[in-house]
Amino acid sequence: NGSTQNVFFRHSLNKLMKRLPERHFLRIHRSHVVNLRQVAGLEKHGKGTHLRLHSFDQTLPVSRHRLSHLRPRLENALTRGAG
């Protein structure tokens, strides 16, 4: 439906990631998992990179380590329509 929501999960994000479709979800930081279909873009913030989501006012930090995994996935999602 295009809405953004927070989900609270009482287990580790590693366990959550095992339950989510790998094609659409990616861990971008030790405390954030995002739906790639909701990504509006990347922004530089000082020395770091943040991710902007559709319909969400705040940006989320992307760890330097995970940025190398995020960029190709975003490019792939954009060319395939992430659907």
Side-chain angles (χ1 to χ4, degrees):
N1 65 5
S3 68
T4 302
Q5 64 183 11
N6 290 323
V7 176
F8 296 97
F9 191 70
R10 292 186 181 258
H11 300 281
S12 72
L13 286 182
N14 286 335
K15 285 185 180 181
L16 175 63
M17 288 299 296
K18 290 178 183 177
R19 297 178 67 182
L20 294 171
E22 188 177 324
R23 179 178 180 191
H24 298 299
F25 290 87
L26 184 66
R27 191 165 181 177
I28 61 166
H29 191 272
R30 65 183 177 141
S31 57
H32 300 292
V33 172
V34 296
N35 182 336
L36 294 173
R37 296 173 291 182
Q38 295 299 317
V39 174
L42 292 172
E43 300 177 1
K44 291 297 271 179
H45 283 250
K47 291 185 179 180
T49 302
H50 283 223
L51 187 122
R52 177 159 303 282
L53 299 175
H54 297 290
S55 306
F56 194 63
D57 292 334
Q58 297 177 328
T59 60
L60 301 173
V62 179
S63 74
R64 288 181 300 215
H65 166 73
R66 296 182 192 279
L67 184 59
S68 63
H69 299 284
L70 175 62
R71 284 198 169 136
R73 295 281 304 275
L74 282 180
E75 291 172 7
N76 196 22
L78 291 173
T79 59
R80 288 192 347 217

Coordinates of all heavy atoms in Angstrom, one line a residue:
N1 N 0.8 -1.2 0.0 CA 0.0 0.0 0.0 C 0.9 1.3 0.0 O 0.3 2.3 0.0 CB -1.0 0.0 1.2 CG -0.3 0.0 2.5 OD1 0.9 0.2 2.7 ND2 -1.1 -0.1 3.6
G2 N 2.2 1.1 0.0 CA 3.1 2.3 -0.1 C 3.3 3.0 1.3 O 4.1 3.9 1.3
S3 N 2.7 2.5 2.3 CA 3.0 3.2 3.6 C 4.3 2.6 4.2 O 4.7 1.5 3.9 CB 1.8 3.0 4.6 OG 1.7 1.6 4.9
T4 N 4.8 3.4 5.1 CA 6.0 3.0 5.8 C 5.7 2.7 7.3 O 4.9 3.4 7.9 CB 7.1 4.2 5.8 OG1 7.4 4.5 4.4 CG2 8.4 3.8 6.5
Q5 N 6.2 1.7 7.8 CA 5.9 1.3 9.2 C 7.1 0.8 9.9 O 8.0 0.2 9.2 CB 4.8 0.3 9.3 CG 5.1 -1.0 8.7 CD 3.9 -2.0 8.7 OE1 2.8 -1.6 9.0 NE2 4.1 -3.2 8.4
N6 N 7.2 1.0 11.2 CA 8.2 0.4 12.0 C 7.7 -0.9 12.5 O 6.5 -1.1 12.8 CB 8.5 1.3 13.2 CG 9.2 2.5 12.9 OD1 10.0 2.6 12.0 ND2 8.8 3.6 13.6
V7 N 8.6 -1.9 12.5 CA 8.3 -3.2 13.0 C 9.2 -3.6 14.1 O 10.4 -3.4 14.0 CB 8.4 -4.3 11.9 CG1 8.1 -5.7 12.4 CG2 7.4 -4.0 10.7
F8 N 8.7 -4.0 15.2 CA 9.5 -4.4 16.4 C 9.5 -5.9 16.4 O 8.5 -6.6 16.4 CB 8.9 -3.8 17.7 CG 9.0 -2.3 17.6 CD1 7.9 -1.5 17.3 CD2 10.2 -1.6 17.9 CE1 7.9 -0.2 17.3 CE2 10.2 -0.3 17.9 CZ 9.1 0.5 17.6
F9 N 10.7 -6.4 16.5 CA 11.0 -7.9 16.4 C 11.8 -8.2 17.6 O 12.9 -7.6 17.9 CB 11.7 -8.1 15.1 CG 11.8 -9.6 14.7 CD1 10.7 -10.3 14.4 CD2 13.0 -10.2 14.7 CE1 10.8 -11.6 14.0 CE2 13.2 -11.5 14.4 CZ 12.0 -12.3 14.0
R10 N 11.4 -9.2 18.4 CA 12.1 -9.5 19.7 C 13.3 -10.5 19.5 O 13.8 -11.0 20.5 CB 11.1 -10.1 20.6 CG 10.1 -9.2 21.1 CD 9.2 -9.8 22.2 NE 8.2 -8.9 22.7 CZ 8.3 -8.2 23.8 NH1 9.4 -8.4 24.6 NH2 7.3 -7.4 24.2
H11 N 13.7 -10.7 18.3 CA 14.8 -11.5 18.0 C 15.9 -10.7 17.3 O 15.7 -9.6 17.0 CB 14.4 -12.7 17.2 CG 13.4 -13.6 17.8 ND1 13.6 -14.5 18.8 CD2 12.0 -13.6 17.7 CE1 12.5 -15.1 19.2 NE2 11.5 -14.6 18.6
S12 N 17.0 -11.3 17.0 CA 18.1 -10.6 16.3 C 17.6 -10.3 14.8 O 16.8 -10.9 14.3 CB 19.3 -11.5 16.3 OG 19.2 -12.6 15.3
L13 N 18.3 -9.3 14.3 CA 18.0 -8.9 12.9 C 18.5 -10.0 12.0 O 17.9 -10.2 10.9 CB 18.7 -7.6 12.5 CG 18.0 -6.4 13.1 CD1 18.7 -5.1 12.6 CD2 16.6 -6.3 12.7
N14 N 19.5 -10.8 12.4 CA 19.9 -12.0 11.6 C 18.7 -13.0 11.4 O 18.5 -13.5 10.3 CB 21.1 -12.7 12.2 CG 22.3 -11.9 12.0 OD1 22.5 -11.1 11.1 ND2 23.3 -12.1 12.9
K15 N 18.0 -13.2 12.5 CA 16.8 -14.1 12.4 C 15.7 -13.5 11.6 O 15.1 -14.2 10.8 CB 16.3 -14.4 13.8 CG 17.1 -15.4 14.6 CD 16.5 -15.7 15.9 CE 17.3 -16.7 16.7 NZ 16.7 -17.0 18.0
L16 N 15.5 -12.2 11.7 CA 14.5 -11.5 10.9 C 14.9 -11.6 9.4 O 14.0 -11.9 8.6 CB 14.4 -10.0 11.3 CG 13.5 -9.2 10.4 CD1 12.0 -9.7 10.5 CD2 13.6 -7.7 10.8
M17 N 16.1 -11.4 9.1 CA 16.6 -11.5 7.7 C 16.3 -12.8 7.1 O 16.0 -12.9 5.9 CB 18.0 -11.1 7.6 CG 18.3 -9.6 7.8 SD 17.5 -8.5 6.6 CE 18.3 -9.0 5.1
K18 N 16.4 -13.9 7.9 CA 16.2 -15.2 7.3 C 14.7 -15.4 7.0 O 14.4 -16.3 6.2 CB 16.6 -16.3 8.4 CG 18.1 -16.4 8.5 CD 18.5 -17.4 9.6 CE 20.0 -17.3 9.7 NZ 20.5 -18.2 10.8
R19 N 13.8 -14.6 7.6 CA 12.4 -14.7 7.3 C 11.9 -13.8 6.2 O 10.8 -14.0 5.7 CB 11.6 -14.4 8.6 CG 11.9 -15.4 9.7 CD 11.2 -15.1 11.0 NE 9.8 -15.3 10.8 CZ 8.9 -15.0 11.8 NH1 9.3 -14.6 12.9 NH2 7.6 -15.2 11.5
L20 N 12.7 -12.9 5.8 CA 12.3 -11.9 4.8 C 12.8 -12.3 3.4 O 13.8 -13.0 3.3 CB 12.8 -10.5 5.1 CG 12.3 -9.9 6.4 CD1 13.1 -8.6 6.7 CD2 10.8 -9.5 6.2
P21 N 12.0 -12.0 2.4 CA 12.5 -12.3 1.0 C 13.8 -11.5 0.7 O 13.8 -10.3 0.7 CB 11.3 -11.8 0.1 CG 10.3 -11.3 1.0 CD 10.7 -11.3 2.4
E22 N 14.8 -12.3 0.4 CA 16.1 -11.7 0.2 C 16.1 -10.7 -1.0 O 16.9 -9.8 -1.0 CB 17.1 -12.8 0.0 CG 18.6 -12.3 -0.1 CD 19.5 -13.5 -0.3 OE1 19.3 -14.6 0.3 OE2 20.5 -13.4 -1.0
R23 N 15.3 -11.0 -1.9 CA 15.2 -10.2 -3.1 C 14.8 -8.7 -2.8 O 15.2 -7.8 -3.5 CB 14.2 -10.8 -4.1 CG 14.0 -10.0 -5.4 CD 13.0 -10.8 -6.3 NE 12.9 -10.0 -7.5 CZ 11.9 -10.3 -8.3 NH1 11.1 -11.3 -8.1 NH2 11.8 -9.6 -9.4
H24 N 14.0 -8.5 -1.8 CA 13.4 -7.2 -1.5 C 14.0 -6.5 -0.3 O 13.8 -5.3 -0.1 CB 11.9 -7.3 -1.3 CG 11.2 -7.8 -2.5 ND1 11.3 -7.1 -3.7 CD2 10.5 -8.9 -2.8 CE1 10.6 -7.8 -4.6 NE2 10.1 -8.8 -4.1
F25 N 14.7 -7.2 0.6 CA 15.1 -6.7 1.9 C 16.6 -6.7 2.0 O 17.3 -7.7 1.6 CB 14.5 -7.4 3.1 CG 13.0 -7.1 3.2 CD1 12.1 -7.8 2.5 CD2 12.6 -6.0 3.9 CE1 10.7 -7.5 2.5 CE2 11.2 -5.7 4.0 CZ 10.3 -6.5 3.3
L26 N 17.2 -5.7 2.6 CA 18.7 -5.7 2.8 C 19.0 -5.0 4.1 O 18.3 -4.0 4.5 CB 19.3 -4.9 1.7 CG 20.8 -4.8 1.7 CD1 21.4 -6.2 1.4 CD2 21.3 -3.9 0.6
R27 N 19.9 -5.5 4.8 CA 20.4 -4.9 6.1 C 21.4 -3.8 5.7 O 22.4 -4.1 5.0 CB 21.0 -5.9 7.0 CG 21.3 -5.4 8.3 CD 21.6 -6.6 9.2 NE 21.8 -6.1 10.6 CZ 22.1 -6.9 11.6 NH1 22.1 -8.2 11.4 NH2 22.2 -6.5 12.8
I28 N 21.1 -2.6 6.1 CA 22.0 -1.4 5.8 C 22.8 -0.9 6.9 O 23.7 -0.1 6.7 CB 21.1 -0.3 5.2 CG1 20.2 0.3 6.3 CG2 20.4 -0.7 3.9 CD1 19.6 1.6 5.9
H29 N 22.6 -1.4 8.1 CA 23.2 -1.0 9.3 C 23.0 -2.0 10.4 O 22.0 -2.8 10.2 CB 22.7 0.4 9.7 CG 23.5 1.1 10.8 ND1 23.2 0.9 12.1 CD2 24.4 2.0 10.7 CE1 24.0 1.6 12.8 NE2 24.8 2.3 12.0
R30 N 23.7 -2.0 11.5 CA 23.5 -3.1 12.5 C 22.1 -2.9 13.1 O 21.6 -3.9 13.7 CB 24.6 -3.0 13.6 CG 24.5 -1.7 14.3 CD 25.7 -1.7 15.3 NE 25.7 -0.4 16.0 CZ 25.9 -0.2 17.3 NH1 26.2 -1.3 18.0 NH2 25.9 1.0 17.8
S31 N 21.4 -1.8 12.9 CA 20.1 -1.6 13.5 C 19.0 -1.3 12.5 O 17.9 -1.0 12.9 CB 20.2 -0.5 14.6 OG 20.6 0.7 14.0
H32 N 19.3 -1.5 11.2 CA 18.3 -1.2 10.2 C 18.2 -2.2 9.1 O 19.3 -2.5 8.5 CB 18.5 0.2 9.6 CG 18.5 1.3 10.5 ND1 17.4 1.7 11.2 CD2 19.5 2.1 11.0 CE1 17.7 2.8 12.0 NE2 19.0 3.0 11.9
V33 N 17.0 -2.6 8.8 CA 16.8 -3.5 7.6 C 15.7 -2.7 6.8 O 14.8 -2.1 7.3 CB 16.2 -4.8 8.0 CG1 15.7 -5.6 6.7 CG2 17.2 -5.6 8.8
V34 N 15.9 -2.6 5.4 CA 15.0 -1.9 4.6 C 14.4 -2.7 3.5 O 15.1 -3.6 3.0 CB 15.6 -0.6 4.0 CG1 16.0 0.4 5.1 CG2 16.8 -0.9 3.1
N35 N 13.3 -2.3 3.0 CA 12.6 -2.9 1.9 C 13.2 -2.1 0.7 O 13.0 -0.9 0.6 CB 11.1 -2.7 2.0 CG 10.4 -3.3 0.8 OD1 10.9 -3.5 -0.3 ND2 9.1 -3.7 1.0
L36 N 13.9 -2.7 -0.2 CA 14.5 -2.0 -1.4 C 13.5 -1.3 -2.2 O 13.8 -0.3 -2.9 CB 15.4 -3.0 -2.2 CG 16.6 -3.5 -1.5 CD1 17.2 -4.6 -2.3 CD2 17.6 -2.4 -1.1
R37 N 12.3 -1.8 -2.2 CA 11.2 -1.2 -3.1 C 10.8 0.2 -2.5 O 10.1 0.9 -3.2 CB 10.0 -2.1 -3.2 CG 10.3 -3.4 -3.9 CD 9.2 -4.4 -3.8 NE 9.0 -4.8 -2.5 CZ 8.1 -5.7 -2.1 NH1 7.3 -6.3 -2.9 NH2 8.1 -6.1 -0.8
Q38 N 11.2 0.5 -1.3 CA 10.8 1.8 -0.6 C 11.9 2.8 -0.7 O 11.8 3.9 -0.1 CB 10.4 1.5 0.8 CG 9.1 0.7 0.9 CD 7.9 1.4 0.2 OE1 7.7 2.6 0.4 NE2 7.2 0.6 -0.5
V39 N 13.1 2.5 -1.3 CA 14.2 3.4 -1.3 C 14.0 4.5 -2.3 O 13.8 4.2 -3.5 CB 15.5 2.6 -1.5 CG1 16.7 3.5 -1.7 CG2 15.8 1.6 -0.4
A40 N 14.2 5.7 -1.8 CA 14.1 6.9 -2.7 C 15.4 7.3 -3.2 O 15.6 7.9 -4.3 CB 13.3 8.0 -2.0
G41 N 16.5 7.1 -2.4 CA 17.8 7.5 -2.8 C 18.8 7.5 -1.7 O 18.5 7.2 -0.5
L42 N 20.1 7.7 -2.1 CA 21.2 7.8 -1.1 C 21.6 9.3 -1.0 O 21.5 10.0 -2.0 CB 22.4 7.0 -1.6 CG 22.2 5.5 -1.6 CD1 23.4 4.9 -2.3 CD2 22.0 5.0 -0.2
E43 N 22.0 9.7 0.2 CA 22.5 11.1 0.4 C 23.7 11.0 1.2 O 23.9 10.2 2.1 CB 21.4 11.9 1.2 CG 20.1 12.0 0.6 CD 19.0 12.7 1.4 OE1 19.4 13.1 2.6 OE2 17.9 12.8 1.0
K44 N 24.6 11.9 0.9 CA 25.9 12.1 1.7 C 25.6 13.0 2.9 O 24.9 14.0 2.8 CB 27.0 12.7 0.9 CG 27.5 11.8 -0.2 CD 28.2 10.6 0.3 CE 29.6 10.8 0.6 NZ 30.3 9.6 1.1
H45 N 26.0 12.6 4.1 CA 25.9 13.3 5.3 C 27.2 13.4 6.0 O 27.6 12.4 6.6 CB 24.9 12.7 6.3 CG 23.4 12.9 5.9 ND1 22.6 13.7 6.6 CD2 22.7 12.5 4.8 CE1 21.4 13.7 6.0 NE2 21.5 13.0 4.9
G46 N 28.0 14.5 5.7 CA 29.3 14.5 6.3 C 30.2 13.5 5.6 O 30.2 13.4 4.4
K47 N 30.8 12.6 6.4 CA 31.6 11.5 5.9 C 30.8 10.3 5.6 O 31.3 9.3 5.0 CB 32.7 11.2 6.8 CG 33.8 12.3 6.9 CD 34.9 11.8 7.8 CE 36.0 12.9 7.9 NZ 37.1 12.5 8.8
G48 N 29.5 10.2 6.1 CA 28.7 9.0 5.9 C 27.7 9.1 4.9 O 27.5 10.2 4.2
T49 N 27.0 8.0 4.6 CA 25.9 8.0 3.7 C 24.6 7.6 4.4 O 24.6 6.7 5.3 CB 26.2 6.9 2.6 OG1 27.5 7.2 2.0 CG2 25.1 6.8 1.5
H50 N 23.5 8.2 4.0 CA 22.2 7.9 4.6 C 21.3 7.5 3.4 O 21.5 7.9 2.3 CB 21.7 9.1 5.3 CG 22.3 9.3 6.7 ND1 21.5 9.6 7.8 CD2 23.6 9.2 7.1 CE1 22.3 9.7 8.8 NE2 23.6 9.5 8.4
L51 N 20.3 6.8 3.8 CA 19.3 6.3 2.8 C 18.0 7.0 3.1 O 17.6 7.1 4.2 CB 19.1 4.8 3.0 CG 18.3 4.1 2.0 CD1 19.1 3.0 1.3 CD2 17.1 3.5 2.7
R52 N 17.4 7.5 2.0 CA 16.0 8.1 2.1 C 15.0 7.2 1.6 O 15.2 6.6 0.5 CB 16.0 9.4 1.3 CG 14.6 10.1 1.3 CD 14.6 11.5 1.0 NE 15.4 12.4 1.9 CZ 15.1 12.7 3.1 NH1 14.0 12.3 3.7 NH2 15.9 13.5 3.8
L53 N 13.9 7.0 2.3 CA 12.8 6.1 1.9 C 11.6 7.0 1.5 O 11.5 8.1 1.9 CB 12.4 5.3 3.1 CG 13.4 4.3 3.7 CD1 12.8 3.6 5.0 CD2 13.8 3.3 2.7
H54 N 10.8 6.4 0.6 CA 9.6 7.0 0.2 C 8.7 7.2 1.4 O 8.7 6.3 2.2 CB 8.9 6.2 -0.9 CG 9.6 6.1 -2.2 ND1 9.9 7.1 -3.1 CD2 10.3 5.0 -2.7 CE1 10.6 6.7 -4.1 NE2 10.8 5.4 -3.9
S55 N 8.0 8.2 1.5 CA 7.0 8.4 2.6 C 7.6 8.4 4.0 O 6.9 7.9 4.9 CB 5.8 7.4 2.4 OG 5.3 7.4 1.2
F56 N 8.8 8.8 4.1 CA 9.5 8.7 5.5 C 10.3 10.0 5.6 O 11.2 10.2 4.7 CB 10.3 7.5 5.6 CG 10.7 7.1 7.0 CD1 9.8 6.9 8.0 CD2 12.1 7.1 7.3 CE1 10.2 6.5 9.3 CE2 12.5 6.8 8.6 CZ 11.5 6.5 9.6
D57 N 10.1 10.8 6.6 CA 10.8 12.1 6.7 C 12.2 12.0 7.1 O 13.0 12.9 6.8 CB 10.1 13.0 7.7 CG 8.7 13.4 7.2 OD1 8.5 13.5 6.0 OD2 7.8 13.7 8.1
Q58 N 12.6 11.0 7.8 CA 14.0 10.9 8.3 C 14.8 10.0 7.3 O 14.3 9.2 6.6 CB 14.0 10.2 9.7 CG 13.3 11.1 10.7 CD 13.3 10.4 12.1 OE1 13.3 9.2 12.1 NE2 13.4 11.2 13.1
T59 N 16.1 10.2 7.4 CA 17.0 9.3 6.7 C 17.6 8.3 7.6 O 17.6 8.5 8.8 CB 18.2 10.1 6.0 OG1 18.9 10.8 7.0 CG2 17.6 11.1 5.0
L60 N 18.1 7.2 7.1 CA 18.7 6.1 7.9 C 20.1 6.0 7.5 O 20.5 6.0 6.4 CB 18.0 4.8 7.6 CG 16.5 4.7 7.9 CD1 15.9 3.4 7.4 CD2 16.2 4.9 9.3
P61 N 21.0 5.8 8.5 CA 22.4 5.6 8.2 C 22.7 4.3 7.6 O 22.1 3.3 7.8 CB 23.1 5.7 9.6 CG 22.0 5.2 10.6 CD 20.7 5.7 10.0
V62 N 23.7 4.3 6.7 CA 24.2 3.1 6.0 C 25.6 2.9 6.4 O 26.4 3.8 6.3 CB 24.1 3.3 4.4 CG1 24.6 2.0 3.8 CG2 22.7 3.6 4.0
S63 N 25.9 1.8 6.9 CA 27.3 1.5 7.3 C 28.2 1.4 6.1 O 27.8 1.1 5.0 CB 27.4 0.2 8.2 OG 27.3 -0.9 7.3
R64 N 29.4 1.8 6.3 CA 30.4 1.8 5.1 C 30.5 0.4 4.6 O 30.6 0.2 3.4 CB 31.8 2.3 5.6 CG 31.8 3.8 5.8 CD 33.1 4.2 6.2 NE 33.5 3.6 7.4 CZ 34.3 4.1 8.4 NH1 34.7 5.3 8.2 NH2 34.6 3.4 9.4
H65 N 30.5 -0.6 5.5 CA 30.7 -2.0 5.0 C 29.5 -2.4 4.2 O 29.6 -3.0 3.2 CB 30.8 -2.9 6.3 CG 30.6 -4.3 6.0 ND1 31.5 -5.1 5.3 CD2 29.6 -5.2 6.2 CE1 31.1 -6.3 5.1 NE2 29.9 -6.4 5.7
R66 N 28.3 -2.0 4.6 CA 27.1 -2.5 3.9 C 26.8 -1.6 2.7 O 26.0 -2.1 1.8 CB 25.9 -2.5 4.9 CG 26.1 -3.5 6.0 CD 25.0 -3.6 6.9 NE 25.3 -4.4 8.1 CZ 25.3 -5.7 8.2 NH1 25.0 -6.4 7.1 NH2 25.6 -6.3 9.3
L67 N 27.4 -0.5 2.6 CA 27.2 0.4 1.4 C 27.6 -0.3 0.1 O 27.0 -0.3 -0.9 CB 27.9 1.7 1.6 CG 27.7 2.7 0.5 CD1 26.3 3.1 0.3 CD2 28.6 4.0 0.8
S68 N 28.7 -1.1 0.3 CA 29.2 -1.8 -0.9 C 28.2 -2.9 -1.4 O 28.2 -3.3 -2.5 CB 30.6 -2.5 -0.6 OG 30.5 -3.4 0.4
H69 N 27.4 -3.4 -0.5 CA 26.3 -4.4 -0.8 C 25.1 -3.7 -1.3 O 24.4 -4.2 -2.2 CB 26.0 -5.2 0.4 CG 27.1 -6.0 0.9 ND1 27.6 -7.2 0.3 CD2 27.9 -5.9 2.0 CE1 28.6 -7.7 1.0 NE2 28.8 -6.9 2.0
L70 N 24.8 -2.5 -0.8 CA 23.6 -1.7 -1.1 C 23.6 -1.2 -2.6 O 22.6 -1.3 -3.3 CB 23.4 -0.6 -0.1 CG 22.2 0.3 -0.4 CD1 20.9 -0.4 -0.3 CD2 22.2 1.5 0.6
R71 N 24.7 -0.6 -3.0 CA 24.7 0.1 -4.3 C 24.4 -0.8 -5.4 O 23.5 -0.5 -6.2 CB 26.1 0.8 -4.5 CG 26.2 2.0 -3.7 CD 27.3 2.9 -4.2 NE 27.2 4.2 -3.5 CZ 28.2 4.9 -3.0 NH1 29.4 4.4 -3.1 NH2 28.0 6.1 -2.5
P72 N 25.0 -2.0 -5.6 CA 24.6 -2.9 -6.7 C 23.1 -3.4 -6.6 O 22.5 -3.5 -7.6 CB 25.6 -4.0 -6.6 CG 26.4 -3.9 -5.4 CD 26.1 -2.5 -4.8
R73 N 22.7 -3.6 -5.4 CA 21.3 -4.0 -5.2 C 20.3 -2.9 -5.6 O 19.3 -3.2 -6.2 CB 21.0 -4.4 -3.7 CG 21.8 -5.6 -3.2 CD 21.2 -7.0 -3.7 NE 19.8 -7.2 -3.3 CZ 19.3 -7.6 -2.2 NH1 20.2 -8.0 -1.2 NH2 18.1 -7.8 -2.0
L74 N 20.6 -1.7 -5.3 CA 19.8 -0.6 -5.7 C 19.8 -0.4 -7.2 O 18.7 -0.2 -7.8 CB 20.2 0.7 -5.0 CG 19.9 1.0 -3.6 CD1 20.4 2.3 -3.1 CD2 18.4 0.9 -3.4
E75 N 20.9 -0.5 -7.8 CA 21.0 -0.4 -9.2 C 20.2 -1.5 -9.9 O 19.5 -1.3 -10.9 CB 22.5 -0.4 -9.7 CG 23.3 0.8 -9.3 CD 24.8 0.6 -9.6 OE1 25.2 -0.4 -10.2 OE2 25.5 1.5 -9.2
N76 N 20.3 -2.7 -9.4 CA 19.6 -3.8 -9.9 C 18.1 -3.7 -9.7 O 17.3 -3.9 -10.6 CB 20.1 -5.1 -9.2 CG 19.7 -6.4 -10.0 OD1 19.4 -6.3 -11.2 ND2 19.6 -7.5 -9.2
A77 N 17.7 -3.2 -8.5 CA 16.3 -3.0 -8.3 C 15.7 -1.9 -9.2 O 14.6 -2.0 -9.7 CB 16.1 -2.6 -6.8
L78 N 16.5 -0.8 -9.5 CA 16.0 0.2 -10.3 C 15.8 -0.3 -11.8 O 14.9 0.1 -12.4 CB 16.9 1.4 -10.3 CG 16.9 2.2 -8.9 CD1 18.0 3.2 -8.9 CD2 15.6 2.8 -8.7
T79 N 16.8 -1.1 -12.2 CA 16.7 -1.5 -13.6 C 15.6 -2.6 -13.8 O 15.0 -2.7 -14.9 CB 18.0 -2.1 -14.1 OG1 18.4 -3.2 -13.3 CG2 19.1 -1.0 -14.1
R80 N 15.3 -3.4 -12.8 CA 14.3 -4.4 -12.8 C 13.0 -4.0 -12.3 O 12.0 -4.7 -12.3 CB 14.7 -5.7 -12.1 CG 15.8 -6.4 -12.7 CD 16.1 -7.8 -12.1 NE 15.4 -8.0 -10.9 CZ 15.9 -8.6 -9.9 NH1 17.1 -9.2 -10.0 NH2 15.3 -8.8 -8.8
G81 N 12.9 -2.8 -11.7 CA 11.7 -2.3 -11.1 C 11.4 -2.9 -9.7 O 10.4 -2.7 -9.2
A82 N 12.4 -3.6 -9.2 CA 12.3 -4.2 -7.8 C 11.0 -5.0 -7.6 O 10.6 -5.3 -6.5 CB 12.4 -3.1 -6.8
G83 N 10.4 -5.4 -8.7 CA 9.2 -6.2 -8.5 C 9.4 -7.6 -8.8 O 8.8 -8.5 -8.5

